[in-house]
RNA sequence: GGGUCGGUAGCUCAGCUGGUAGAGCAGCGGACUUUUAAUCCGCCGGUCGUGGGUUCGAUCCCCGCCCGACUCACCA
């Protein structure tokens, strides 16, 4: 291996398995075949396929159709002249559900329930079926390893302990190939050899760094991780259905913006070579979505990524998924009702109840109940400061007093900070941690709401709310500012703030002003952090548990340091 | 960026302020014809994150660095 080559990790276990692949090739066989088509899943086997045949002894009438199943070998258990393969396929979660349902039936019949905690199905392979194959796979040489992907042919049956299983065989009682198999087709076949060994079966994979960096391993061995991401997919599908039934149009707007806007946040900067212009990854789709409402798409929503060049912690990932929706002729109070319907409906669909558990399942003291039942609590920013900040209605407009209160929390803000920002800072500090139950926080100061409509009753405030639960922000919504003159002034204030060093301030967007000049109907819009919503609905306390590939520092590999760091490939693009 | 804790076999973890490392699982060899974290016998497997320092001698003590978890600050 020459200098600059990427070193492959190799250890003895891997060399052993590579040798097994070499042996297959040497025997003139395909090491990576792709011609095995499954006919059934593990869930189908568990859910009753096994009862279609006599439980035992196995029935193999001429013409019986073979069942073909695939999956990854999770455990091998050889006992003399029989072997058991535990296999997992895509139906893993459904296997658990099917097994639980089957156990209910067993209990009703006064039989002992079995295996309610495993997402695998079982293949039973008896040496008598094919001695050469059995020995080649499971005995001397042991070409089959935990982690391999296999294709199995056989007939469903129940073992002596009653577990639905696949009896590996390709022949009927007459010794003829089962219907649906090719002559001489082996009953167990390695489709893909795994070279790396899987984590230990009992303790599994727990190291968070490895789990996030090698999510593929995490998904193989941790059922609950797979379940979380299946739920995430269901949640997003349910959200789409919710808006489709309300006559919303799903749209996609640009991820690359030449002007930063729609939220107060630091952007990622990039550059387009052909146009020779700077571009920013979007921090929010808001201004484009409202342009669409101007264009007559009166109800639109988008589910897509936002990018914010800010810190990473339990609630923040630099790229995150945002749902934004806009409805013409609605107000922010209408959206509260909509969100209540959406959230309580999601909880019902996912859990069959609006009562959610929040907190570490292993620590009863840390557990809390979150009720998604409508209506949600409502509190204004001012009320929150009064209730948890110890200020009365007059005092919360006293900048010096607000600063003193913030100082008590160890927070100091620049001298030019407007009162509205001080109020919000204090609210976030003293009130946020109390907002475990779903709560609409209403009436935000105008200084922190550059795109919101001013309150008719008090121009210092806006028709805006944020929804909190589990102690953090989930949603942000307001009646949209559709007065182009007012919007122009707000943008100017943002531009001034930016010139003054506020890296989160928005840019002036004259095209957006032009759009408002054509006329944005009275509209309300809302943004919902999907990752955080999934956290609450799946009881995960870290955003990294609900994002398949969270951002991590690039992996440092000792063997690749030095002159391999700048290969030509990096400069070609 | 600050604080706390951590990095030892493929995986999960032990290792007594110092004498160059252990277990279980996985792997390999063997026994076992219905196992469920199977069991039993034997074997293989380690630059103890990394670079220095102290010492006759460092996984252990000291310093720097890298990586991570938690937490605080900033932020959605």
């Amino acid at each position: 291996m020459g200098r600059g080559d990427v070193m492959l990790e190799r250890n003895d276990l891997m060399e052993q398995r590579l040798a097994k692949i070499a042996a297959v090739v040497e025997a003139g066989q395909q090491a990576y075949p792709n011609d095995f088509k499954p006919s059934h899943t593990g869930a189908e086997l568990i859910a009753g396929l096994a009862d279609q045949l006599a439980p035992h002894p196995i029935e193999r009438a001429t013409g019986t159709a073979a069942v073909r199943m695939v999956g990854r070998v999770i455990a091998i258990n050889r006992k003399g002249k029989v072997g058991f393969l535990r296999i997992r396929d895509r139906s893993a979660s459904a296997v658990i559900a099917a097994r639980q349902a089957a156990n209910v039936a067993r209990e009703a019949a006064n039989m002992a329930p079995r295996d309610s905690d495993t997402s695998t199905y079982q293949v039973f392979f008896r040496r008598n079926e094919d001695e050469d194959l059995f020995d080649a796979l499971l005995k001397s040489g042991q070409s089959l390893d935990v982690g391999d992907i296999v294709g199995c042919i056989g007939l469903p049956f129940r073992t002596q302990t009653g577990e639905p299983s696949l009896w590996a065989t390709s022949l009927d009682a007459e010794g003829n190939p089962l219907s649906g198999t090719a002559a001489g087709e082996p009953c167990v076949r390695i489709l893909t050899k795994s070279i790396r060994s899987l984590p230990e079966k009992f303790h599994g994979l727990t190291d968070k760094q490895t789990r996030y960096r090698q999510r593929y391993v995490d998904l193989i061995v941790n059922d609950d991780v797979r379940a979380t991401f299946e739920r995430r997919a269901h949640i997003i599908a349910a959200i789409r259905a919710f808006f489709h039934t309300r006559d919303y149009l799903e749209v996609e707007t640009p991820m690359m913006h030449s002007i930063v806007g729609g939220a107060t946040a630091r952007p990622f900067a990039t550059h387009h070579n052909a146009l020779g212009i700077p571009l920013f990854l979007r921090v929010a789709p808001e201004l484009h979505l409202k342009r669409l409402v101007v264009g007559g798409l009166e109800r639109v929503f988008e589910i897509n990524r936002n990018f914010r060049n800010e810190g990473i912690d339990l609630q923040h990932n630099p790229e995150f998924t945002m749902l934004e929706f806009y409805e013409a002729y609605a107000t922010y109070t209408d959206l509260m009702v909509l969100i209540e319907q959406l959230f309580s409906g999601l909880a019902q669909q996912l859990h069959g109840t609006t009562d959610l558990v929040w907190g570490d399942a292993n620590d009863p003291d840390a557990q809390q109940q979150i009720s998604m039942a409508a209506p949600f609590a409502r509190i204004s920013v001012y009320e929150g400061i009064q209730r948890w900040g110890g200020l009365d209605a007059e005092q919360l407009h006293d900048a010096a007093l607000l600063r003193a209160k913030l100082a008590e929390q160890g927070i100091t803000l620049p001298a030019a900070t407007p009162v509205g920002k001080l109020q919000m800072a204090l609210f976030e500090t003293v009130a946020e941690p109390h907002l475990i139950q779903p709560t609409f926080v209403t009436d935000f100061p105008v200084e922190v709401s550059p795109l919101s409509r001013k309150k008719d009753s008090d121009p210092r405030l806006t028709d805006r709310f944020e929804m909190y639960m589990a102690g953090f922000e989930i949603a942000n919504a307001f009646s949209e500012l559709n007065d182009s003159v007012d919007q122009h002034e707000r943008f100017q204030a943002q531009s001034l703030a930016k010139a003054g060093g506020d890296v989160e301030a928005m840019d002036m967007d004259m095209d957006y002003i032009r759009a408002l000049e054509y006329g944005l109907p009275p509209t309300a819009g809302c943004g919902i952090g999907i990752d955080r919503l999934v956290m609450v609905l799946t009881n995960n306390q870290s955003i990294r548990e609900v994002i398949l590939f969270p951002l991590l520092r690039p992996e440092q590999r000792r063997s690749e340091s030095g002159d391999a760091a700048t290969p030509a490939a990096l400069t070609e693009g």
Side-chain angles (χ1 to χ4, degrees):
Chain A
M1 180 167 290
R3 284 175 65 79
D5 286 352
V6 173
M7 284 266 285
L8 282 172
E9 285 177 58
R10 284 287 182 265
N11 57 45
D12 290 351
L13 273 61
M14 296 173 71
E15 296 294 354
Q16 281 170 11
R17 295 196 181 188
L18 285 165
K20 290 175 182 176
I21 295 176
V24 169
V25 174
E26 207 161 308
Q29 291 167 1
Q30 173 60 265
Y32 293 93
N34 66 350
D35 57 348
F36 191 98
K37 307 295 183 195
S39 65
H40 293 83
T41 65
E44 288 166 340
L45 179 74
I46 305 298
L49 192 61
D51 296 321
Q52 292 174 13
L53 294 180
H56 193 77
I58 192 164
E59 179 180 320
R60 281 193 257 175
T62 302
T64 303
V67 168
R68 309 173 70 92
M69 300 185 69
V70 293
R72 188 184 295 273
V73 177
I74 296 303
I76 300 170
N77 192 357
R78 192 173 74 85
K79 190 176 190 308
K81 296 186 173 62
V82 297
F84 298 89
L85 311 181
R86 295 224 70 85
I87 296 180
R88 175 173 296 146
D89 65 12
R90 71 166 192 282
S91 70
S93 300
V95 166
I96 293 177
R99 215 184 285 279
Q100 285 167 345
N103 278 338
V104 170
R106 289 180 66 81
E107 280 174 345
N110 284 324
M111 299 166 76
R114 294 206 46 77
D115 290 312
S116 56
D117 58 343
T118 174
S119 61
T120 58
Y121 67 91
Q122 178 169 273
V123 171
F124 174 76
F125 189 8
R126 197 174 57 165
R127 187 165 184 271
N128 287 359
E129 294 293 341
D130 186 336
E131 297 189 0
D132 292 344
L133 179 63
F134 187 92
D135 289 348
L137 288 172
L138 294 171
K139 205 169 154 59
S140 60
Q142 302 223 338
S143 65
L144 185 65
D145 288 297
V146 170
D148 291 349
I149 313 283
V150 295
C152 299
I153 299 171
L155 298 169
F157 80 115
R158 285 185 183 275
T159 60
Q160 287 178 0
T161 55
E163 177 169 358
S165 308
L166 185 74
W167 183 303
T169 183
S170 14
L171 304 176
D172 65 21
E174 315 280 306
N176 298 313
L178 289 171
S179 166
T181 68
E185 193 172 6
C187 59
V188 177
R189 204 170 150 204
I190 298 175
L191 303 180
T192 305
K193 188 75 194 158
S194 173
I195 295 166
R196 291 179 183 268
S197 54
L198 288 174
E200 185 226 349
K201 60 187 164 195
F202 189 53
H203 296 96
L205 178 66
T206 57
D207 178 66
K208 284 193 170 126
Q209 178 176 189
T210 310
R211 285 189 46 232
Y212 299 149
R213 285 195 196 283
Q214 301 179 36
R215 186 67 91 180
Y216 37 89
V217 180
D218 196 23
L219 288 165
I220 290 169
V221 301
N222 290 322
D223 284 343
D224 52 337
V225 171
R226 175 201 283 253
T228 291
F229 289 106
E230 287 174 350
R231 283 179 175 166
R232 180 180 171 122
H234 290 147
I235 289 165
I236 291 173
I239 290 170
R240 286 206 159 92
F242 179 90
F243 284 104
H244 287 147
T245 61
R246 283 161 180 76
D247 207 17
Y248 275 74
L249 191 67
E250 180 170 10
V251 296
E252 293 171 275
T253 63
M255 311 289 276
M256 296 192 291
H257 291 178
S258 56
I259 293 173
V260 180
T264 52
R266 294 185 74 161
F268 284 93
T270 184
H271 184 265
H272 187 267
N273 289 339
L275 292 179
I277 54 169
L279 286 175
F280 303 94
L281 298 185
R282 74 179 191 190
V283 295
E286 171 155 357
L287 299 182
H288 285 89
L289 290 171
K290 283 191 282 195
R291 282 175 170 94
L292 297 178
V293 180
V294 170
L297 309 185
E298 293 176 350
R299 298 182 178 194
V300 292
F301 76 99
E302 176 167 11
I303 299 175
N304 226 322
R305 228 66 67 81
N306 287 348
F307 306 86
R308 298 189 185 175
N309 204 339
E310 285 159 0
I312 298 173
D313 63 26
L314 291 180
Q315 281 113 41
H316 298 85
N317 193 63
E319 56 176 305
F320 62 102
T321 301
M322 183 86 123
L323 158 69
E324 285 207 10
F325 58 94
Y326 291 83
E327 180 171 330
Y329 312 107
T331 65
Y332 77 116
T333 53
D334 296 325
L335 298 192
M336 290 189 207
V337 176
L338 199 71
I339 286 178
E340 284 168 348
Q341 290 172 347
L342 175 62
F343 284 15
S344 60
L346 288 172
Q348 279 287 356
Q349 281 186 47
L350 221 60
H351 299 285
T353 173
T354 50
D355 293 323
L356 305 182
V357 172
W358 178 248
D360 185 353
N362 298 319
D363 184 1
D365 295 339
Q367 275 196 23
Q368 293 172 292
Q369 297 282 329
I370 292 181
S371 171
M372 289 280 216
F376 300 162
R378 303 182 187 199
I379 187 171
S380 73
V381 170
Y382 287 178
E383 286 165 355
I385 295 174
Q386 291 176 53
R387 182 162 162 194
W388 288 295
L391 296 180
D392 65 31
E394 294 298 314
Q395 290 172 321
L396 58 79
H397 297 287
D398 182 338
L401 199 55
L402 289 167
R403 285 181 179 285
K405 280 283 178 187
L406 283 166
E408 284 175 21
Q409 308 289 334
I411 298 169
T412 46
L413 293 173
T417 308
V419 169
K421 274 202 165 187
L422 295 174
Q423 290 166 337
M424 278 318 299
L426 186 59
F427 178 86
E428 285 167 10
T429 307
V430 300
E432 250 185 59
H434 297 284
L435 302 177
I436 302 299
Q437 297 306 318
T439 304
F440 292 113
V441 177
T442 59
D443 301 343
F444 280 63
V446 66
E447 297 96 318
V448 296
S449 312
L451 303 168
S452 307
R453 184 179 185 278
K454 280 175 188 163
K455 242 187 153 39
D456 291 335
S457 59
D458 184 348
R460 295 171 303 180
L461 299 175
T462 55
D463 285 337
R464 174 182 175 190
F465 70 83
E466 286 187 352
M467 207 216 96
Y468 285 76
M469 62 183 159
F472 49 81
E473 181 193 339
I474 295 277
N476 177 23
F478 36 87
S479 294
E480 304 299 335
L481 174 58
N482 61 349
D483 175 341
S484 63
V485 174
D486 187 352
Q487 184 67 71
H488 187 235
E489 288 168 1
R490 307 261 195 111
F491 274 147
Q492 284 177 325
Q494 288 285 308
S495 295
L496 278 174
K498 192 155 203 163
D502 185 346
V503 291
E504 295 173 356
M506 298 182 197
D507 287 328
M508 171 69 73
D509 188 337
M510 286 310 294
D511 177 70
Y512 180 68
I513 298 295
R514 180 167 57 194
L516 292 188
E517 287 166 352
Y518 277 99
L520 172 69
T523 298
C526 177
I528 293 175
I530 294 297
D531 312 281
R532 291 179 175 183
L533 177 61
V534 174
M535 283 168 66
V536 174
L537 287 170
T538 62
N539 193 22
N540 280 113
Q541 279 70 53
S542 169
I543 198 168
R544 287 178 161 181
E545 296 292 344
V546 301
I547 293 176
L548 281 166
F549 298 100
L551 185 66
L552 301 172
R553 194 181 299 277
E555 196 169 3
Q556 300 284 328
R557 300 178 117 184
R558 272 176 301 171
S559 55
E560 292 174 24
S561 60
D563 58 1
T566 52
L570 281 183
T571 57
E572 283 172 4

